Structures are given as C-alpha cells and as structure tokens.
C-alpha cells in the first residue's frame, strides 16, 4: 500500500507569542514538526508532503539543516482552514495513495496509531482518529447515528446539545487520494469561522456511501497539540515521564523519574543509576552498572560499564572506557577518548585527547590535542599549551610518564616512556625515556627579618 502523509504546518501559532514558527519549537530537543516527520518515516511512505505558510522559509531551512528528511513542500499563503491547507497538497497526492493527514504541532502520535489509521482506509472506508476527551472544549465533536459516525461539528458551530458530546476528533484522517480529491472539491466555508474545514469531508463521505472507521490512540497525549508554551511544557513533561518509565523498565534506577531529561536517544545497560537533574542530548550510551551523578549533561557520549560519573560533569562528543571515574566538575569536550580505569578529577578540561588505560588527571588541568599512554599521572594544575595564537599543536605522552604539578607543556612536544617532569616546569623540548626534566630556578636560603606592623 502506498502511503503519503500530509502534514499541516502553515498556522501561525499566535498563542506561542513567538518569532519562531510554532512547529519549530522544540520538544525533547527536536522541533515539533521533526517529531512528526520522524514518526511518519517509519511507515515507509512513498513521499511526505508538508504544507507550510507562516515562517515557511525557516521551517524548510530547519528540516534541511537538522534532519535527513526531504519532504515535498506545498505552500498555503493564506490560512483559510485545514481543508484549504490540504487542498494545497493535492498535486503531490496520487489517486491510489492513502493520504494520512496529520498536524505538525501534534508531536507525540505513535506510529502504531498511524498504522491502524492507514489500515482503516480503503476504497470504501475512511480512517478517523477519535477519542473520549475528559475536557472536549475546543475539539470537533463526533456525530453518530445508530452507532455509526455521520459527521463532525466544530466547537464554534456546535449546538448546546452537541457540545455535550465527549467523543472528539483528534484531527488525523486516513483516506484514499481519489476520495480526498473529490470530497475536498465539495466543501465550502459557510460556518462560524468562515474557514474551509477538513472535517466537513467526513459528513460528505458518509453521503457518498463511505464508511467511517474510528481508530483510538493508545493514550490521550498522543493527540495533544501545542498551541501555547503551557501546553508545550506539559507535553514535554509527559513525554519525559514516558521515557523515564521506559528506562526503568529496561533496568535503570532513576533517583527521580521527574528529574531526568532525554533530548535524543539514550541506551542504558543493566543496573545503571541516574541521579537527579541529568540531561542527555543527541545519542548517548551507558554500559552496565554506570552511575551518573546529579546535574550532569551528556551529549553524544559513550560511557563504558562500571564507570562512575560524578556530580556536575559535562561530557560532549566523547567516550569513556570501563571502570573509570570522572568528576565531580569535569568537562570532557569533543574528541576525548578515555581508556579503562582512567581518572578525571575536579576542574579538569579535556579536548581531542586520547588517555590510555589506568592514566589519571585528577585536579585542575587542561589537557588538549594530545595522545597519552597508559599509567600516566598528570599532576594538579598541568596545562597543555596547545595553541600558539595561530595554530594548534599536538602533545604525545608515552606510557608511565609522571608529570609533576603546576607544569606547562608547550606543544608540539613528545615525552617518552617513563620520563618524569618536575613540578613547576615549563617544558618545551622533547623529553627522552626515563629522564627527569625540570626547568626550575634553584632554591636559595637567605637570612631575612620579616617586616612587622608599625605601631601608631
Ligand atoms: C482541528 C479540527 C478539530 C479537531 C482539532 C484537533 C478542523 C476544522 N478542526 O481544529 O475538529 O478536534 O483540530 O486538534 O480541522 N492549519 C494550516 N492551515 C490552515 C489552518 C490550520 O496549516 O489554514 C494547521 C495548523 O497549523 C494546525 C492544524 O492545521 O497545525 C490544526 O489547525 P487548527 O486551526 O489549530 O485546528 P483546530 O481549531 O485545533
Ligand atoms: Ca489546534
């Protein structure tokens, strides 16, 4: 079956009070529209059509820059209603394709729900997503006669009696292309809002002898749209709670399921422990038994089994081996690769660095553009001077090197196996294996009388 999602995203989103088009506001780190595009892609559609209007250029640019999706774009210059919006997309729709009409501001609909809808649409039927709403205000109400759906009436057009109906239209419809085209040709805008309502095709379809098959979502927030920042925040929390539940069922302990945010994809092993206020971005993997302390931010990070990441650590585009100890207050910047049983302590910043198994940088250091062997100890306050003001240079430190505290290592530089650097040195020449290198003024002992405070 050929499926073509048509995503409506032309609306302004006035209630967001934002310069950004509504569908570009982010939920779990991704623009609302991208959630929809990601989900419908799982249906392996023949193509996807997105109807844009307000902020069209920004919407197109965002999808092109941030995603691999290449939908067909249809433009609706004036927002004359959902029916009119779908009309703008009809050129892209084949007669035998099943159109799946969705909204770009309804981010959390599951692919199973879409699939059920698509399956409900054929030559003689139309699939309609409906639900029992606790608070039906604002939604179109489902009209039934003798149990069968016969139409939809919008909130603003409904009679007092119709307003008491609690079965509502979620807004998603699946219908064969040729039916959609003929039905959309018949709708008008003679209603309370002066709009072309997509929902009018339902009553018209029934008149044409089509049967309306209702499909229900797995949970109500699957169909919740975002019209305000309040709704966005509410959906974000619901979504994060879903992710937290999933992580727990896969064997992770969360100190507080309400205080972890996953903005991307997080894969966790068994017996992972995640403390409060941890943010995961991009694609992150935590091995078995990993513990993440409070207030950490991980972005595109891989952390090996048994590693402990302590409080207030940030890890970006980096990997950590097994049984390592990172933080508190560590900052691993892009290109950091730490081996097994490594230690990175407080106020240590690393970047583009390989650190071999068992090596330690425990306190107050900057380690950049370097390759460091195994069992190396980098003392407190060591700075890798990798930048000469114009270019970056590489430092190589071989196995078993000991670097004393408060040392400046001026790159390019190689320190060979087993060498020792005396504390307080500025090292700018290569150090041979096994040597002690130091650049330190000799200590002198002078006779001296310490000044005392003058008495007034
Ligand atoms: C619509 C349905 C209503 C349903 C509700 C569910 C219609 C007439 N009504 O109402 O039955 O209960 O959704 O949320 O369809 N859009 C365009 N161009 C337009 C108008 C809208 O692209 O000209 C887009 C909007 O950006 C939005 C979506 O379509 O993403 C829904 O439009 P909106 O005006 O919010 O419809 P509702 O009044 O919520
Ligand atoms: Ca809406």
């Amino acid at each position: 079956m050929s499926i073509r999602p048509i995503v409506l995203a032309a609306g302004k989103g006035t209630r967001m009070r934002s310069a950004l088009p509504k569908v570009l506001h982010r939920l779990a780190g991704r623009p609302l529209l991208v959630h929809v595009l990601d989900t419908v892609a799982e249906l392996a559609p023949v193509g996807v059509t997105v109807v844009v209007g307000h902020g069209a250029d920004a919407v197109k640019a965002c999808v092109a820059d941030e995603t691999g999706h290449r939908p067909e774009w249809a433009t609706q210059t004036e927002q004359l209603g959902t029916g009119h919006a779908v009309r703008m997309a009809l050129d892209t729709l084949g007669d035998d394709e099943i159109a799946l009409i969705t909204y770009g501001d309804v981010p959390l609909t599951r692919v199973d729900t879409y699939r059920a809808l698509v399956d409900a649409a054929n030559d003689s039927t139309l699939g309609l997503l409906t639900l029992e709403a606790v608070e039906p205000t604002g939604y179109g109400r489902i009209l039934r006669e003798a149990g069968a759906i016969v139409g939809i009436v919008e909130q603003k057009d409904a009679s007092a009696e119709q307003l008491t109906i609690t079965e509502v239209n979620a807004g998603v419809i699946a219908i064969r292309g040729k039916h959609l085209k003929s039905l959309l040709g018949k709708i008008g805008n003679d209603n309370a809002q002066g709009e072309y309502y997509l929902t009018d095709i339902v009553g018209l379809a029934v008149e044409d002898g089509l049967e309306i098959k209702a499909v229900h979502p797995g949970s109500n927030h699957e169909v919740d749209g975002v019209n305000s920042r309040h709704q966005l925040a509410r959906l974000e929390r619901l979504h994060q709670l879903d992710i937290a539940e999933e992580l727990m069922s896969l064997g992770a302990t969360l100190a507080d399921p309400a205080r972890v945010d996953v903005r991307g994809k997080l894969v966790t092993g068994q017996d992972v422990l995640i403390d409060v206020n941890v943010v995961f971005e991009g694609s992150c993997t935590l091995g078995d038994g990993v513990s993440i302390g409070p207030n950490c931010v991980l972005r595109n990070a891989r952390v090996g089994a048994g590693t402990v990441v302590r409080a207030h650590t940030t890890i970006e585009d980096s990997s950590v081996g097994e049984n390592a100890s990172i933080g508190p207050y560590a900052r691993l910047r892009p290109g950091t690769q730490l081996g097994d049983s490594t230690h990175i302590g407080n106020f240590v910043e690393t970047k583009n660095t390989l650190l071999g198994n068992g090596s330690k940088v425990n306190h107050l250091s900057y380690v950049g553009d370097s390759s460091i062997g195994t069992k190396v100890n980098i003392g407190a306050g060591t700075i890798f001077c990798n930048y000469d003001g114009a270019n970056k240079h590489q430092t190589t430190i071989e196995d078993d090197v000991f670097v004393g505290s408060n040392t400046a290592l001026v790159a390019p530089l190689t320190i060979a196996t087993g060498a020792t650097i005396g504390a307080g040195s500025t090292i700018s020449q290569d150090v041979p294996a096994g040597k002690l290198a130091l650049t330190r003024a000799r200590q002198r002992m002078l006779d001296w009388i310490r000044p005392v405070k003058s008495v007034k």
Side-chain angles (χ1 to χ4, degrees):
M1 181 180 10
S2 305
I3 304 168
R4 172 172 296 271
I6 296 174
V7 186
L8 306 190
K12 187 167 180 193
T14 313
R15 278 190 281 156
M16 296 299 281
R17 293 181 182 269
S18 176
L20 192 68
K22 176 166 72 174
V23 292
L24 295 188
H25 280 260
R26 282 166 199 269
L27 181 118
R30 270 180 301 161
L32 298 173
L33 174 62
V34 175
H35 281 268
V36 180
L37 295 179
D38 285 351
T39 310
V40 297
E42 292 180 49
L43 298 167
V46 286
V48 176
T49 306
V50 181
V51 182
V52 284
H54 277 282
D57 292 341
V59 173
K60 290 181 193 176
C62 172
V63 170
D65 294 349
E66 281 194 35
T67 78
H69 298 298
R70 296 295 174 262
E72 286 161 72
W73 300 100
T75 306
Q76 186 195 27
T77 13
E78 265 187 299
Q79 278 64 60
L80 303 178
T82 48
H84 179 259
V86 174
R87 251 186 221 160
M88 302 299 114
L90 291 183
D91 283 349
T92 65
L93 177 68
D95 284 352
D96 289 326
E97 292 171 6
I98 300 287
L100 175 70
I101 302 163
T102 69
Y103 300 159
D105 58 2
V106 179
L108 298 180
T109 314
R110 288 175 184 268
V111 70
D112 296 344
T113 304
Y114 285 145
R115 214 170 264 134
L117 264 167
V118 166
D119 289 345
N122 61 36
D123 248 352
S124 58
T125 61
L126 178 162
L128 182 69
L129 191 63
T130 80
L131 67 148
E132 276 299 321
V134 186
E135 178 44 87
T137 308
Y139 284 100
R141 307 298 203 281
I142 304 297
L143 307 177
R144 286 182 184 264
E145 276 171 19
I149 295 178
V150 295
I152 299 175
V153 60
E154 290 303 301
Q155 166 90 20
K156 290 186 176 144
D157 300 281
S159 67
E161 192 189 343
Q162 288 168 331
L163 286 176
T164 65
I165 298 172
T166 52
E167 186 185 8
V168 302
N169 170 35
V172 191
I173 294 178
I175 179 171
R176 198 166 287 268
K178 64 169 186 253
H179 294 323
L180 181 63
K181 288 175 184 177
S182 95
L183 292 169
L184 275 180
K186 300 183 197 167
I187 63 170
N189 64 352
D190 182 15
N191 52 51
Q193 302 184 79
E195 287 183 6
Y196 294 91
Y197 291 160
L198 172 66
T199 43
D200 282 354
I201 69 168
V202 173
L204 293 167
V206 173
E207 285 174 21
D208 280 1
L210 291 180
E211 183 198 346
I212 314 299
K213 285 194 171 175
V215 167
H216 309 299
S219 75
N220 281 13
H221 68 258
E222 270 194 54
V223 302
D224 283 348
V226 172
N227 296 304
S228 67
R229 305 215 191 217
H230 308 81
Q231 289 170 346
L232 179 61
R234 184 180 154 271
L235 266 199
E236 175 81 44
R237 289 339 307 161
L238 287 168
H239 181 53
Q240 291 299 342
L241 217 48
D242 277 353
I243 296 172
E245 304 275 344
E246 166 98 5
L247 289 172
M248 290 190 290
S249 47
L250 292 172
T253 295
L254 304 181
D256 181 353
R259 282 186 289 168
V260 58
D261 278 57
V262 180
R263 301 173 192 154
K265 181 135 192 60
L266 172 62
V267 176
T268 51
Q270 240 182 10
D271 296 312
V272 161
L273 201 138
I274 300 171
D275 212 324
V276 298
N277 298 332
V278 178
V279 177
F280 296 95
E281 297 179 336
S283 170
C284 293
T285 307
L286 308 180
D288 292 343
V290 164
S291 161
I292 308 288
N295 303 323
C296 291
V297 179
L298 280 73
R299 181 184 173 79
N300 300 322
R302 293 183 71 85
V303 181
T307 288
V308 178
V309 176
R310 296 171 207 281
H312 309 288
T313 290
T314 73
I315 303 181
E316 189 179 353
D317 297 313
S318 293
S319 68
V320 182
E322 300 186 355
N323 301 311
S325 169
I326 312 296
Y329 296 100
R331 181 176 182 206
L332 309 187
R333 290 173 54 204
T336 297
Q337 280 175 261
L338 308 180
D340 297 340
S341 304
T342 47
H343 287 196
I344 297 290
N346 42 217
F347 309 108
V348 171
E349 175 183 346
T350 64
K351 196 206 72 183
N352 275 338
T353 282
L354 302 176
L355 188 68
N357 295 346
S359 290
K360 299 174 180 173
V361 191
N362 269 327
H363 328 269
L364 304 159
S365 292
Y366 172 64
V367 182
D369 296 311
S370 61
S371 165
I372 300 172
T374 60
K375 297 202 175 128
V376 168
N377 188 84
I378 306 286
T382 299
I383 305 299
F384 284 51
C385 310
N386 58 333
Y387 184 53
D388 60 14
N391 296 299
K392 300 273 172 69
H393 303 281
Q394 191 73 17
T395 297
T396 302
I397 297 184
E398 296 179 354
D399 298 345
D400 288 313
V401 164
F402 182 96
V403 177
S405 298
N406 192 30
T407 292
L409 301 174
V410 182
L413 187 67
T414 298
I415 302 176
T417 307
T420 303
I421 310 298
S425 296
T426 298
I427 301 296
S428 53
Q429 292 167 30
D430 290 353
V431 179
K435 296 284 186 187
L436 167 66
L438 74 168
T439 62
R440 194 189 288 166
R442 242 172 226 294
Q443 183 171 333
R444 293 186 294 164
M445 254 62 73
L446 306 177
D447 294 327
W448 157 253
I449 294 164
R450 196 192 288 176
V452 292
K453 222 175 195 159
S454 51
V455 189
K456 283 181 195 149

